[in-house]
Amino acid sequence: MISNVPVKTVTHKDLTIEGYSRAAVQTYWRIPELNLGFDFGGQPWSFMGTPTWFVSHTHIDHLAALPAYVGRRRMMKMEPPTIYLPAPTVELVERVLRLFSRLDRGRLPCELVPTSAGDEIELSREHVVTVSETVHTVPSLGYVVWQRRRKLKPEFQGLHGDEIRDLRLGGTEVTSEIRTPRLAYLGDSSPGGLDGCEAMYEAEVLIMELTFVAPRHRKERIHKFGHMHLDDLVERRERFHNELVIVSHFSTRYHPRQVHHYIEKALPDMLDGRLHLWI
Ligand SMILES: [Zn+2]
Ligand SMILES: [Zn+2]
């Protein structure tokens, strides 16, 4: 085990959420069971085996470790990774990787996939990712991971197995797809990024930013910088149907004690115990 950058962990049902996020410092997350991660503000050595990544936006504290990640995988003879990122940023990121490749005199093989709000990405038979718009100061996206399975349509539920088989052989579609939003990642965004995507509020696990928590930091000003204030969370408390809400990306202006203090004061029940402070 090589210890390099901090990693916190929480488990929810069959999912392990690992990562770290502090505004202006570094943000990175991964969910090993889903075989995917979000953002490259840092890249713990232990994250290298995860082959699929989604970049929320290209601020340095969310991107700086990308060349290191790609280079490590090449060095360890792993398959080139697939990295989804906001479409307008792909060309520049390609150039950055090319320059790094020259400096390093080593190849940086990876697939960069231009991604836009409204896209649907098929990860496997079981999982699909949908992409939504978020509101930040550079091109930015939010992501929702859905689990899908096929379920017998209600009109066929009373039938015997052989009757269903005959219908299927006759060309009738007897099942329909059921999707469950398992995990949503907001990235950096003002509240518009949540409000514009209902699935953010419905996902079992929501990972969201909450950069500012002190009353002296006014939310109107914070929205201009594409961030969220604790007041925004309080205003929307009834909308969060998530089983677990992870709040993260706190400003470095706050000591962890202050973060706990302000949040516990504003939300004494911690969203009925569903709120998890990632600090
Ligand atoms: Zn950030
Ligand atoms: Zn940012």
Side-chain angles (χ1 to χ4, degrees):
M1 171 84 186
I2 292 177
S3 156
N4 49 347
V5 283
V7 177
K8 277 171 54 70
T9 300
V10 70
T11 53
H12 180 73
K13 301 204 279 207
D14 58 337
L15 299 181
T16 314
I17 297 101
E18 302 176 317
Y20 183 85
S21 177
R22 204 76 202 254
V25 183
Q26 46 189 3
T27 291
Y28 42 88
W29 302 91
R30 81 155 179 178
I31 297 87
E33 295 83 0
L34 298 174
N35 228 1
L36 56 81
F38 303 101
D39 287 348
F40 289 108
Q43 175 66 201
W45 185 254
S46 59
F47 281 20
M48 184 188 355
T50 297
T52 305
W53 287 77
F54 297 85
V55 173
S56 65
H57 67 296
T58 51
H59 275 151
I60 288 177
D61 55 323
H62 296 254
L63 190 72
L66 173 65
Y69 163 72
V70 178
R72 286 174 189 177
R73 281 186 63 97
R74 185 213 62 220
M75 190 177 73
M76 302 303 276
K77 305 202 182 336
M78 294 173 165
E79 285 294 305
T82 305
I83 298 149
Y84 297 89
L85 62 179
T89 69
V90 171
E91 203 188 313
L92 286 173
V93 172
E94 264 166 6
R95 271 163 65 186
V96 168
L97 287 177
R98 268 204 300 276
L99 291 174
F100 252 110
S101 184
R102 281 172 61 188
L103 289 168
D104 188 61
R105 300 210 182 159
R107 289 181 317 112
L108 290 175
C110 61
E111 194 192 347
L112 302 180
V113 185
T115 306
S116 307
D119 285 358
E120 210 171 283
I121 298 158
E122 305 238 345
L123 291 182
S124 63
R125 270 173 59 133
E126 223 188 327
H127 292 110
V128 180
V129 171
T130 55
V131 185
S132 62
E133 210 166 310
T134 56
V135 187
H136 201 41
T137 54
V138 293
S140 62
L141 296 171
Y143 300 98
V144 179
V145 187
W146 303 75
Q147 187 153 29
R148 54 181 178 176
R149 57 196 168 83
R150 303 220 54 102
K151 194 167 178 270
L152 199 60
K153 288 181 181 170
E155 60 264 41
F156 303 126
Q157 256 155 28
L159 300 184
H160 284 290
D162 46 352
E163 292 175 299
I164 291 164
R165 189 201 56 212
D166 289 347
L167 279 168
R168 189 182 284 136
L169 290 175
T172 307
E173 185 54 78
V174 292
T175 60
S176 55
E177 189 182 279
I178 307 282
R179 288 187 178 192
T180 314
R182 299 284 337 257
L183 182 129
Y185 178 55
L186 177 67
D188 286 11
S189 180
S190 65
L194 284 180
D195 297 346
C197 177
E198 199 51 39
M200 291 271 171
Y201 290 113
E202 301 296 333
E204 288 174 17
V205 180
L206 168 64
I207 303 172
M208 64 174 279
E209 74 130 287
L210 188 62
T211 309
F212 294 96
V213 295
R216 69 177 179 280
H217 293 130
R218 307 307 307 167
K219 67 176 183 185
E220 293 73 21
R221 200 173 140 68
I222 284 154
H223 294 171
K224 275 198 202 104
F225 294 106
H227 286 302
M228 201 83 72
H229 189 282
L230 175 56
D231 292 348
D232 300 313
L233 186 71
V234 174
E235 272 170 26
R236 289 165 179 74
R237 64 159 296 151
E238 299 307 324
R239 299 187 62 177
F240 292 93
H241 297 148
N242 320 83
E243 295 169 8
L244 175 68
V245 179
I246 295 173
V247 286
S248 63
H249 198 269
F250 298 107
S251 165
T252 51
R253 292 164 222 218
Y254 307 126
H255 187 280
R257 266 202 314 272
Q258 289 174 291
V259 173
H260 280 276
H261 166 79
Y262 287 123
I263 294 180
E264 281 157 21
K265 201 169 155 200
L267 294 162
D269 71 337
M270 297 296 273
L271 293 182
D272 307 316
R274 293 172 296 139
L275 192 65
H276 183 95
L277 308 195
W278 199 271
I279 189 162

PDB file of all heavy atoms in Angstrom, residues 68-96:
ATOM      1  N   ALA A  68      -0.591  12.061 -14.879  1.00  0.00           N
ATOM      2  CA  ALA A  68       0.011  11.055 -13.996  1.00  0.00           C
ATOM      3  C   ALA A  68      -0.779   9.750 -14.059  1.00  0.00           C
ATOM      4  O   ALA A  68      -0.208   8.654 -14.151  1.00  0.00           O
ATOM      5  CB  ALA A  68       0.058  11.577 -12.560  1.00  0.00           C
ATOM      6  N   TYR A  69      -2.099   9.860 -14.039  1.00  0.00           N
ATOM      7  CA  TYR A  69      -2.957   8.671 -14.101  1.00  0.00           C
ATOM      8  C   TYR A  69      -2.736   7.892 -15.400  1.00  0.00           C
ATOM      9  O   TYR A  69      -2.526   6.674 -15.383  1.00  0.00           O
ATOM     10  CB  TYR A  69      -4.424   9.103 -13.961  1.00  0.00           C
ATOM     11  CG  TYR A  69      -5.427   8.064 -14.397  1.00  0.00           C
ATOM     12  CD1 TYR A  69      -5.652   6.920 -13.626  1.00  0.00           C
ATOM     13  CD2 TYR A  69      -6.148   8.225 -15.578  1.00  0.00           C
ATOM     14  CE1 TYR A  69      -6.578   5.972 -14.035  1.00  0.00           C
ATOM     15  CE2 TYR A  69      -7.066   7.277 -15.987  1.00  0.00           C
ATOM     16  CZ  TYR A  69      -7.282   6.150 -15.213  1.00  0.00           C
ATOM     17  OH  TYR A  69      -8.189   5.208 -15.622  1.00  0.00           O
ATOM     18  N   VAL A  70      -2.767   8.615 -16.524  1.00  0.00           N
ATOM     19  CA  VAL A  70      -2.629   7.943 -17.822  1.00  0.00           C
ATOM     20  C   VAL A  70      -1.228   7.315 -17.932  1.00  0.00           C
ATOM     21  O   VAL A  70      -1.072   6.171 -18.378  1.00  0.00           O
ATOM     22  CB  VAL A  70      -2.893   8.930 -18.986  1.00  0.00           C
ATOM     23  CG1 VAL A  70      -2.694   8.244 -20.331  1.00  0.00           C
ATOM     24  CG2 VAL A  70      -4.306   9.497 -18.892  1.00  0.00           C
ATOM     25  N   GLY A  71      -0.213   8.062 -17.492  1.00  0.00           N
ATOM     26  CA  GLY A  71       1.159   7.562 -17.562  1.00  0.00           C
ATOM     27  C   GLY A  71       1.384   6.335 -16.690  1.00  0.00           C
ATOM     28  O   GLY A  71       2.052   5.377 -17.096  1.00  0.00           O
ATOM     29  N   ARG A  72       0.795   6.335 -15.514  1.00  0.00           N
ATOM     30  CA  ARG A  72       0.949   5.178 -14.621  1.00  0.00           C
ATOM     31  C   ARG A  72       0.336   3.924 -15.230  1.00  0.00           C
ATOM     32  O   ARG A  72       0.899   2.837 -15.145  1.00  0.00           O
ATOM     33  CB  ARG A  72       0.261   5.445 -13.286  1.00  0.00           C
ATOM     34  CG  ARG A  72       0.997   6.399 -12.394  1.00  0.00           C
ATOM     35  CD  ARG A  72       0.143   6.693 -11.180  1.00  0.00           C
ATOM     36  NE  ARG A  72       0.716   7.763 -10.396  1.00  0.00           N
ATOM     37  CZ  ARG A  72       0.144   8.267  -9.299  1.00  0.00           C
ATOM     38  NH1 ARG A  72      -1.015   7.789  -8.882  1.00  0.00           N
ATOM     39  NH2 ARG A  72       0.721   9.231  -8.632  1.00  0.00           N
ATOM     40  N   ARG A  73      -0.830   4.087 -15.831  1.00  0.00           N
ATOM     41  CA  ARG A  73      -1.481   2.913 -16.421  1.00  0.00           C
ATOM     42  C   ARG A  73      -0.661   2.346 -17.574  1.00  0.00           C
ATOM     43  O   ARG A  73      -0.574   1.134 -17.736  1.00  0.00           O
ATOM     44  CB  ARG A  73      -2.901   3.272 -16.903  1.00  0.00           C
ATOM     45  CG  ARG A  73      -3.895   3.322 -15.762  1.00  0.00           C
ATOM     46  CD  ARG A  73      -5.305   3.538 -16.269  1.00  0.00           C
ATOM     47  NE  ARG A  73      -5.795   2.453 -17.108  1.00  0.00           N
ATOM     48  CZ  ARG A  73      -6.562   1.450 -16.688  1.00  0.00           C
ATOM     49  NH1 ARG A  73      -6.907   1.371 -15.421  1.00  0.00           N
ATOM     50  NH2 ARG A  73      -6.983   0.537 -17.542  1.00  0.00           N
ATOM     51  N   ARG A  74      -0.062   3.256 -18.357  1.00  0.00           N
ATOM     52  CA  ARG A  74       0.784   2.758 -19.441  1.00  0.00           C
ATOM     53  C   ARG A  74       1.981   2.002 -18.857  1.00  0.00           C
ATOM     54  O   ARG A  74       2.311   0.898 -19.268  1.00  0.00           O
ATOM     55  CB  ARG A  74       1.267   3.918 -20.305  1.00  0.00           C
ATOM     56  CG  ARG A  74       2.059   3.443 -21.528  1.00  0.00           C
ATOM     57  CD  ARG A  74       3.159   4.415 -21.899  1.00  0.00           C
ATOM     58  NE  ARG A  74       4.115   4.545 -20.824  1.00  0.00           N
ATOM     59  CZ  ARG A  74       4.674   5.674 -20.442  1.00  0.00           C
ATOM     60  NH1 ARG A  74       4.362   6.803 -21.027  1.00  0.00           N
ATOM     61  NH2 ARG A  74       5.535   5.701 -19.444  1.00  0.00           N
ATOM     62  N   MET A  75       2.607   2.621 -17.858  1.00  0.00           N
ATOM     63  CA  MET A  75       3.785   2.013 -17.235  1.00  0.00           C
ATOM     64  C   MET A  75       3.459   0.633 -16.658  1.00  0.00           C
ATOM     65  O   MET A  75       4.274  -0.285 -16.728  1.00  0.00           O
ATOM     66  CB  MET A  75       4.260   2.942 -16.126  1.00  0.00           C
ATOM     67  CG  MET A  75       5.588   2.593 -15.529  1.00  0.00           C
ATOM     68  SD  MET A  75       6.025   3.856 -14.316  1.00  0.00           S
ATOM     69  CE  MET A  75       4.909   3.461 -12.964  1.00  0.00           C
ATOM     70  N   MET A  76       2.248   0.495 -16.109  1.00  0.00           N
ATOM     71  CA  MET A  76       1.855  -0.774 -15.488  1.00  0.00           C
ATOM     72  C   MET A  76       1.207  -1.727 -16.499  1.00  0.00           C
ATOM     73  O   MET A  76       0.626  -2.732 -16.125  1.00  0.00           O
ATOM     74  CB  MET A  76       0.882  -0.523 -14.330  1.00  0.00           C
ATOM     75  CG  MET A  76       1.406   0.386 -13.242  1.00  0.00           C
ATOM     76  SD  MET A  76       2.949  -0.153 -12.486  1.00  0.00           S
ATOM     77  CE  MET A  76       2.328  -1.310 -11.264  1.00  0.00           C
ATOM     78  N   LYS A  77       1.284  -1.352 -17.766  1.00  0.00           N
ATOM     79  CA  LYS A  77       0.772  -2.187 -18.864  1.00  0.00           C
ATOM     80  C   LYS A  77      -0.732  -2.478 -18.735  1.00  0.00           C
ATOM     81  O   LYS A  77      -1.213  -3.576 -19.024  1.00  0.00           O
ATOM     82  CB  LYS A  77       1.569  -3.488 -18.986  1.00  0.00           C
ATOM     83  CG  LYS A  77       3.073  -3.263 -19.142  1.00  0.00           C
ATOM     84  CD  LYS A  77       3.754  -4.446 -19.773  1.00  0.00           C
ATOM     85  CE  LYS A  77       5.268  -4.316 -19.920  1.00  0.00           C
ATOM     86  NZ  LYS A  77       5.813  -2.958 -19.963  1.00  0.00           N
ATOM     87  N   MET A  78      -1.471  -1.480 -18.273  1.00  0.00           N
ATOM     88  CA  MET A  78      -2.934  -1.603 -18.225  1.00  0.00           C
ATOM     89  C   MET A  78      -3.512  -1.045 -19.524  1.00  0.00           C
ATOM     90  O   MET A  78      -2.874  -0.275 -20.211  1.00  0.00           O
ATOM     91  CB  MET A  78      -3.481  -0.812 -17.035  1.00  0.00           C
ATOM     92  CG  MET A  78      -3.063  -1.375 -15.699  1.00  0.00           C
ATOM     93  SD  MET A  78      -3.580  -0.258 -14.374  1.00  0.00           S
ATOM     94  CE  MET A  78      -3.384  -1.333 -12.963  1.00  0.00           C
ATOM     95  N   GLU A  79      -4.756  -1.421 -19.811  1.00  0.00           N
ATOM     96  CA  GLU A  79      -5.447  -0.916 -21.000  1.00  0.00           C
ATOM     97  C   GLU A  79      -5.549   0.617 -20.944  1.00  0.00           C
ATOM     98  O   GLU A  79      -5.738   1.176 -19.855  1.00  0.00           O
ATOM     99  CB  GLU A  79      -6.879  -1.480 -21.031  1.00  0.00           C
ATOM    100  CG  GLU A  79      -6.953  -2.931 -21.435  1.00  0.00           C
ATOM    101  CD  GLU A  79      -6.522  -3.131 -22.874  1.00  0.00           C
ATOM    102  OE1 GLU A  79      -7.107  -2.464 -23.756  1.00  0.00           O
ATOM    103  OE2 GLU A  79      -5.584  -3.928 -23.110  1.00  0.00           O
ATOM    104  N   PRO A  80      -5.472   1.298 -22.088  1.00  0.00           N
ATOM    105  CA  PRO A  80      -5.699   2.754 -22.075  1.00  0.00           C
ATOM    106  C   PRO A  80      -7.080   3.062 -21.490  1.00  0.00           C
ATOM    107  O   PRO A  80      -8.053   2.404 -21.843  1.00  0.00           O
ATOM    108  CB  PRO A  80      -5.645   3.132 -23.558  1.00  0.00           C
ATOM    109  CG  PRO A  80      -4.864   2.041 -24.212  1.00  0.00           C
ATOM    110  CD  PRO A  80      -5.162   0.791 -23.432  1.00  0.00           C
ATOM    111  N   PRO A  81      -7.166   4.026 -20.598  1.00  0.00           N
ATOM    112  CA  PRO A  81      -8.453   4.338 -19.962  1.00  0.00           C
ATOM    113  C   PRO A  81      -9.374   5.143 -20.878  1.00  0.00           C
ATOM    114  O   PRO A  81      -8.935   5.713 -21.877  1.00  0.00           O
ATOM    115  CB  PRO A  81      -8.037   5.199 -18.768  1.00  0.00           C
ATOM    116  CG  PRO A  81      -6.766   5.864 -19.211  1.00  0.00           C
ATOM    117  CD  PRO A  81      -6.071   4.868 -20.103  1.00  0.00           C
ATOM    118  N   THR A  82     -10.640   5.176 -20.495  1.00  0.00           N
ATOM    119  CA  THR A  82     -11.637   5.994 -21.195  1.00  0.00           C
ATOM    120  C   THR A  82     -12.038   7.138 -20.271  1.00  0.00           C
ATOM    121  O   THR A  82     -12.429   6.897 -19.121  1.00  0.00           O
ATOM    122  CB  THR A  82     -12.874   5.148 -21.550  1.00  0.00           C
ATOM    123  OG1 THR A  82     -12.424   4.016 -22.298  1.00  0.00           O
ATOM    124  CG2 THR A  82     -13.866   5.939 -22.382  1.00  0.00           C
ATOM    125  N   ILE A  83     -11.936   8.350 -20.797  1.00  0.00           N
ATOM    126  CA  ILE A  83     -12.197   9.530 -19.967  1.00  0.00           C
ATOM    127  C   ILE A  83     -13.226  10.415 -20.667  1.00  0.00           C
ATOM    128  O   ILE A  83     -13.004  10.881 -21.788  1.00  0.00           O
ATOM    129  CB  ILE A  83     -10.884  10.299 -19.718  1.00  0.00           C
ATOM    130  CG1 ILE A  83      -9.903   9.401 -18.949  1.00  0.00           C
ATOM    131  CG2 ILE A  83     -11.136  11.586 -18.951  1.00  0.00           C
ATOM    132  CD1 ILE A  83      -8.455   9.658 -19.264  1.00  0.00           C
ATOM    133  N   TYR A  84     -14.353  10.603 -20.004  1.00  0.00           N
ATOM    134  CA  TYR A  84     -15.415  11.456 -20.533  1.00  0.00           C
ATOM    135  C   TYR A  84     -15.222  12.856 -19.973  1.00  0.00           C
ATOM    136  O   TYR A  84     -15.007  13.007 -18.767  1.00  0.00           O
ATOM    137  CB  TYR A  84     -16.784  10.908 -20.120  1.00  0.00           C
ATOM    138  CG  TYR A  84     -17.050   9.536 -20.695  1.00  0.00           C
ATOM    139  CD1 TYR A  84     -16.668   8.386 -20.016  1.00  0.00           C
ATOM    140  CD2 TYR A  84     -17.663   9.399 -21.936  1.00  0.00           C
ATOM    141  CE1 TYR A  84     -16.892   7.117 -20.551  1.00  0.00           C
ATOM    142  CE2 TYR A  84     -17.906   8.143 -22.482  1.00  0.00           C
ATOM    143  CZ  TYR A  84     -17.508   7.010 -21.779  1.00  0.00           C
ATOM    144  OH  TYR A  84     -17.740   5.770 -22.316  1.00  0.00           O
ATOM    145  N   LEU A  85     -15.294  13.865 -20.830  1.00  0.00           N
ATOM    146  CA  LEU A  85     -15.142  15.219 -20.322  1.00  0.00           C
ATOM    147  C   LEU A  85     -15.924  16.211 -21.168  1.00  0.00           C
ATOM    148  O   LEU A  85     -16.308  15.898 -22.298  1.00  0.00           O
ATOM    149  CB  LEU A  85     -13.669  15.597 -20.158  1.00  0.00           C
ATOM    150  CG  LEU A  85     -12.678  15.664 -21.305  1.00  0.00           C
ATOM    151  CD1 LEU A  85     -11.323  16.099 -20.763  1.00  0.00           C
ATOM    152  CD2 LEU A  85     -12.515  14.347 -21.993  1.00  0.00           C
ATOM    153  N   PRO A  86     -16.222  17.398 -20.609  1.00  0.00           N
ATOM    154  CA  PRO A  86     -17.044  18.358 -21.343  1.00  0.00           C
ATOM    155  C   PRO A  86     -16.477  18.590 -22.733  1.00  0.00           C
ATOM    156  O   PRO A  86     -15.274  18.862 -22.889  1.00  0.00           O
ATOM    157  CB  PRO A  86     -16.971  19.630 -20.488  1.00  0.00           C
ATOM    158  CG  PRO A  86     -16.697  19.130 -19.096  1.00  0.00           C
ATOM    159  CD  PRO A  86     -15.827  17.918 -19.280  1.00  0.00           C
ATOM    160  N   ALA A  87     -17.325  18.512 -23.758  1.00  0.00           N
ATOM    161  CA  ALA A  87     -16.877  18.566 -25.152  1.00  0.00           C
ATOM    162  C   ALA A  87     -15.956  19.751 -25.461  1.00  0.00           C
ATOM    163  O   ALA A  87     -14.932  19.564 -26.117  1.00  0.00           O
ATOM    164  CB  ALA A  87     -18.095  18.546 -26.076  1.00  0.00           C
ATOM    165  N   PRO A  88     -16.278  20.966 -24.976  1.00  0.00           N
ATOM    166  CA  PRO A  88     -15.426  22.102 -25.381  1.00  0.00           C
ATOM    167  C   PRO A  88     -13.996  22.017 -24.841  1.00  0.00           C
ATOM    168  O   PRO A  88     -13.143  22.797 -25.260  1.00  0.00           O
ATOM    169  CB  PRO A  88     -16.138  23.325 -24.765  1.00  0.00           C
ATOM    170  CG  PRO A  88     -17.473  22.854 -24.324  1.00  0.00           C
ATOM    171  CD  PRO A  88     -17.398  21.380 -24.131  1.00  0.00           C
ATOM    172  N   THR A  89     -13.715  21.100 -23.923  1.00  0.00           N
ATOM    173  CA  THR A  89     -12.387  21.059 -23.300  1.00  0.00           C
ATOM    174  C   THR A  89     -11.466  20.010 -23.929  1.00  0.00           C
ATOM    175  O   THR A  89     -10.270  19.993 -23.650  1.00  0.00           O
ATOM    176  CB  THR A  89     -12.492  20.737 -21.788  1.00  0.00           C
ATOM    177  OG1 THR A  89     -12.924  19.376 -21.620  1.00  0.00           O
ATOM    178  CG2 THR A  89     -13.476  21.656 -21.080  1.00  0.00           C
ATOM    179  N   VAL A  90     -12.027  19.141 -24.770  1.00  0.00           N
ATOM    180  CA  VAL A  90     -11.276  17.963 -25.212  1.00  0.00           C
ATOM    181  C   VAL A  90     -10.010  18.337 -25.981  1.00  0.00           C
ATOM    182  O   VAL A  90      -8.934  17.799 -25.741  1.00  0.00           O
ATOM    183  CB  VAL A  90     -12.176  17.034 -26.051  1.00  0.00           C
ATOM    184  CG1 VAL A  90     -11.369  15.927 -26.714  1.00  0.00           C
ATOM    185  CG2 VAL A  90     -13.258  16.425 -25.166  1.00  0.00           C
ATOM    186  N   GLU A  91     -10.145  19.305 -26.889  1.00  0.00           N
ATOM    187  CA  GLU A  91      -9.004  19.662 -27.722  1.00  0.00           C
ATOM    188  C   GLU A  91      -7.834  20.171 -26.873  1.00  0.00           C
ATOM    189  O   GLU A  91      -6.674  19.800 -27.095  1.00  0.00           O
ATOM    190  CB  GLU A  91      -9.455  20.726 -28.721  1.00  0.00           C
ATOM    191  CG  GLU A  91      -8.597  20.781 -29.957  1.00  0.00           C
ATOM    192  CD  GLU A  91      -8.951  21.977 -30.820  1.00  0.00           C
ATOM    193  OE1 GLU A  91     -10.173  22.186 -31.048  1.00  0.00           O
ATOM    194  OE2 GLU A  91      -8.026  22.702 -31.221  1.00  0.00           O
ATOM    195  N   LEU A  92      -8.147  21.006 -25.914  1.00  0.00           N
ATOM    196  CA  LEU A  92      -7.082  21.548 -25.059  1.00  0.00           C
ATOM    197  C   LEU A  92      -6.458  20.466 -24.190  1.00  0.00           C
ATOM    198  O   LEU A  92      -5.236  20.427 -24.007  1.00  0.00           O
ATOM    199  CB  LEU A  92      -7.635  22.672 -24.176  1.00  0.00           C
ATOM    200  CG  LEU A  92      -7.914  23.997 -24.885  1.00  0.00           C
ATOM    201  CD1 LEU A  92      -8.619  24.976 -23.957  1.00  0.00           C
ATOM    202  CD2 LEU A  92      -6.610  24.597 -25.404  1.00  0.00           C
ATOM    203  N   VAL A  93      -7.286  19.585 -23.669  1.00  0.00           N
ATOM    204  CA  VAL A  93      -6.751  18.505 -22.827  1.00  0.00           C
ATOM    205  C   VAL A  93      -5.850  17.589 -23.660  1.00  0.00           C
ATOM    206  O   VAL A  93      -4.786  17.161 -23.206  1.00  0.00           O
ATOM    207  CB  VAL A  93      -7.895  17.722 -22.139  1.00  0.00           C
ATOM    208  CG1 VAL A  93      -7.366  16.481 -21.418  1.00  0.00           C
ATOM    209  CG2 VAL A  93      -8.640  18.619 -21.155  1.00  0.00           C
ATOM    210  N   GLU A  94      -6.248  17.350 -24.914  1.00  0.00           N
ATOM    211  CA  GLU A  94      -5.399  16.558 -25.814  1.00  0.00           C
ATOM    212  C   GLU A  94      -4.036  17.218 -25.984  1.00  0.00           C
ATOM    213  O   GLU A  94      -2.997  16.561 -25.947  1.00  0.00           O
ATOM    214  CB  GLU A  94      -6.055  16.447 -27.193  1.00  0.00           C
ATOM    215  CG  GLU A  94      -6.843  15.171 -27.379  1.00  0.00           C
ATOM    216  CD  GLU A  94      -7.764  15.242 -28.602  1.00  0.00           C
ATOM    217  OE1 GLU A  94      -7.697  16.235 -29.359  1.00  0.00           O
ATOM    218  OE2 GLU A  94      -8.570  14.318 -28.760  1.00  0.00           O
ATOM    219  N   ARG A  95      -4.060  18.536 -26.148  1.00  0.00           N
ATOM    220  CA  ARG A  95      -2.793  19.261 -26.326  1.00  0.00           C
ATOM    221  C   ARG A  95      -1.930  19.182 -25.077  1.00  0.00           C
ATOM    222  O   ARG A  95      -0.714  18.994 -25.158  1.00  0.00           O
ATOM    223  CB  ARG A  95      -3.064  20.716 -26.702  1.00  0.00           C
ATOM    224  CG  ARG A  95      -3.176  20.863 -28.213  1.00  0.00           C
ATOM    225  CD  ARG A  95      -3.837  22.137 -28.632  1.00  0.00           C
ATOM    226  NE  ARG A  95      -3.082  23.333 -28.278  1.00  0.00           N
ATOM    227  CZ  ARG A  95      -3.554  24.588 -28.451  1.00  0.00           C
ATOM    228  NH1 ARG A  95      -4.752  24.765 -28.953  1.00  0.00           N
ATOM    229  NH2 ARG A  95      -2.828  25.620 -28.121  1.00  0.00           N
ATOM    230  N   VAL A  96      -2.565  19.334 -23.928  1.00  0.00           N
ATOM    231  CA  VAL A  96      -1.813  19.222 -22.664  1.00  0.00           C
ATOM    232  C   VAL A  96      -1.150  17.850 -22.574  1.00  0.00           C
ATOM    233  O   VAL A  96       0.032  17.728 -22.234  1.00  0.00           O
ATOM    234  CB  VAL A  96      -2.749  19.444 -21.445  1.00  0.00           C
ATOM    235  CG1 VAL A  96      -2.060  19.043 -20.150  1.00  0.00           C
ATOM    236  CG2 VAL A  96      -3.202  20.892 -21.371  1.00  0.00           C
TER     237      VAL A  96
END
